[in-house]
Amino acid sequence: MRKVLLLVLLSFLCFYQGTFAQEVIKHEQKMYINPVNNRIYQHVKLPVYVFISNTPNKQDAVGMSQTDNAAQKNELTPCYLDGEGKHTIRHEDEIEHQSIKFFVWADGTAPKSTVEFKGAQTYKNATTRFYGPGLTVSLKSTDAISGVEQLYQSVNAVAYTPYQSDIDFGKENEYLLKFYAADHVGNMENVHDYKFTVDTSTPETMHKIDGLAQNDIICKYTKITLEASDKLSGVAKTFYQLDNSAVVLYPGGPIPLAQLTDGNHTLTYFSLDNVGNKENAKEYKFYLDKEAPVTIPELIGDQYKNDLATYVSGRTKVQLTASDNKSGVKRITYSIDNAEFQEYTAPFVVPQTGGAHVIRYVAEDNMTNSSSGVTSTKSLRLFVDMRPPVASHRFSGAQFSSRDTLFIREDTDLSLLATDEGSGIHHIGYKIDGGNEQKFEKPINITKEGMHKVTYTAYDNVNNAQTKEVTFIVDNTGPVIYEHFSILPIRVEAGLDVYPPYVMIFLAATDGATGSKTIYYRINNAQKKVYNGNIVGLPKNSEITVDIEAEDQLGNKVEKSFKFKTE
């Protein structure tokens, strides 16, 4: 069987696509070989020329004619594929009676692209499609035969570029999105175009006051209405909330205020547009005046409140403030401990006697409406605290007093104490040797030797204070030990002095601060004894080790040892 290698070469034609707002990219009608399966795809409108070669090298290929008449010139003539899909170029072997097929796929259909708008709320009015914040656009394209070569995009007349990933439309603007795809043989779909507007702006809502109002004080007949506007997709809904009540849809018209009590209130409101942009909530704080003037007592200065009473110092003042949203406040009068009422003109000092006191007050407006309050509740009952705390201190641990001087060690604890019969202790502050004040929280230990002064102040809860000080000496050093023999050594042996057995040893200890308290000694690891005069009766012909321990009045200890011989 003769084997013939046919090489099919396809030529290329070019065409122009009409422009829309900007020129689309030119895509030639062409042949495409799939690199995965080596399939040949041919644009359906292009001619097909058939060449024959004895080698895989197409450079020596010879074009084939469609006639077998030897009298005619062998002219290179094309054929055309009749319709899309798989086509066969067939070789009929007249000798072996075999049929050899070569395949080519014709493609005349453009890809089909789709678009997905996602991540944003949408709304369409009579003329415009709107999208809210967060919009991204995803493009997809498919082709049934040769496959999609490239998908192209253009936004707002910018030159077409290959589509790579989702397109971000995060900024507010009007947009014209165009896109199309071309397949591997040059089929190009018609351009898709989508015109839309991205709206990221929030609506704006304002409140209007109709009726009596002055400095955000309104009466029960005043009307509050809301007006909302939006420059793009339009207002969808408006909501409002009064104080801590539920957020409700604003239906239009005056907001009902009848259920509100006399006093301060907050109207919170906001709007949504048709693509989900939410306005930051606005607040209108107002005082709804339904009744007579309101008087508010206020303490200026030292004060402390617990479950029993409100404590103040003799420096504390009482301030009375009255407000009225209609005719205005005419006057305020007050009484202390059932005395006659007097006119209030400025903050006044609390009674200068310690103990419980009651203050009554009355405010009257120009329309003779009046309101009063009696300080009978525990939140308004005043207890005047005139006495400072009682401060004291305590040492725990080693300490020694000599005349007017106190000696302590570094491990001696200094505790600061305070009591108060009124508002109670707030804290105790202290300074060491004039340093910065610290808050006392745990026993104080001072390690540095020498004279020290601790100044401490006890504060009660209304800033009454008492200051005291304590002076002392920190002694962490033990005594200095001295030893003395009653006679001189007879000789020296092996580096040790030699004495007769009747020698006497005298011990002494001195301390620069508290003085020596006790001296202990022991001979050759015998039982420790208290030294009370001298050491006699030493063993003969012995090497003797004397261990000495001295202690001062604070318990600071030192030790010393020495050796000698007796004959």
Side-chain angles (χ1 to χ4, degrees), residues 427-441:
H427 75 283
I428 302 174
Y430 68 95
K431 298 179 181 179
I432 300 176
D433 298 329
N436 295 328
E437 185 170 277
Q438 306 175 60
K439 186 176 181 180
F440 177 75
E441 295 177 335

Side-chain angles (χ1 to χ4, degrees), residues 10 15 28-32 41-48 81 105-109 183 185-188:
L10 305 177
F15 72 96
E28 298 180 7
Q29 296 176 349
K30 57 187 178 180
M31 176 189 72
Y32 167 70
Y41 294 90
Q42 169 80 357
H43 194 285
V44 72
K45 292 183 179 181
L46 291 178
V48 176
L81 304 178
W105 279 260
D107 185 356
T109 302
D183 65 14
V185 298
N187 292 306
M188 187 188 80

Side-chain angles (χ1 to χ4, degrees), residues 119-136:
Q121 188 173 326
T122 185
Y123 169 77
K124 188 177 186 307
N125 61 19
T127 59
T128 306
R129 169 68 69 180
F130 295 93
Y131 289 93
L135 176 65
T136 58

Side-chain angles (χ1 to χ4, degrees), residues 410-462:
E410 63 182 359
D411 56 355
T412 302
D413 293 338
L414 170 58
S415 296
L416 305 180
L417 311 171
T419 60
D420 187 78
E421 296 179 353
S423 59
I425 297 299
H426 185 269
H427 75 283
I428 302 174
Y430 68 95
K431 298 179 181 179
I432 300 176
D433 298 329
N436 295 328
E437 185 170 277
Q438 306 175 60
K439 186 176 181 180
F440 177 75
E441 295 177 335
K442 62 180 181 179
I444 303 167
N445 298 105
I446 300 177
T447 59
K448 183 178 179 181
E449 290 194 321
M451 179 74 73
H452 297 280
K453 181 171 70 175
V454 174
T455 304
Y456 58 97
T457 303
Y459 301 88
D460 67 12
N461 283 301
V462 292

Side-chain angles (χ1 to χ4, degrees), residues 505-508 517-522 528-536 548-549:
I505 302 174
F506 302 96
L507 303 178
K517 180 181 178 182
T518 308
I519 301 176
Y520 300 92
Y521 74 95
R522 63 180 178 180
K528 185 168 67 173
K529 298 179 181 181
V530 176
Y531 176 76
N532 54 13
N534 53 52
I535 303 173
V536 295
I548 308 169
E549 178 185 292

Side-chain angles (χ1 to χ4, degrees), residues 228-258:
S229 61
D230 187 80
K231 66 180 182 180
L232 290 176
S233 62
V235 177
K237 296 176 181 179
T238 298
F239 298 88
Y240 74 91
Q241 178 186 28
L242 283 170
D243 298 328
N244 294 320
S245 61
V247 177
V248 296
L249 179 66
Y250 175 64
I255 294 174
L257 305 177

Side-chain angles (χ1 to χ4, degrees), residues 467-482:
T467 299
K468 289 187 177 181
E469 63 182 39
V470 57
T471 303
F472 51 88
I473 295 175
V474 175
D475 176 16
N476 299 322
T477 303
V480 177
I481 300 173
Y482 301 93

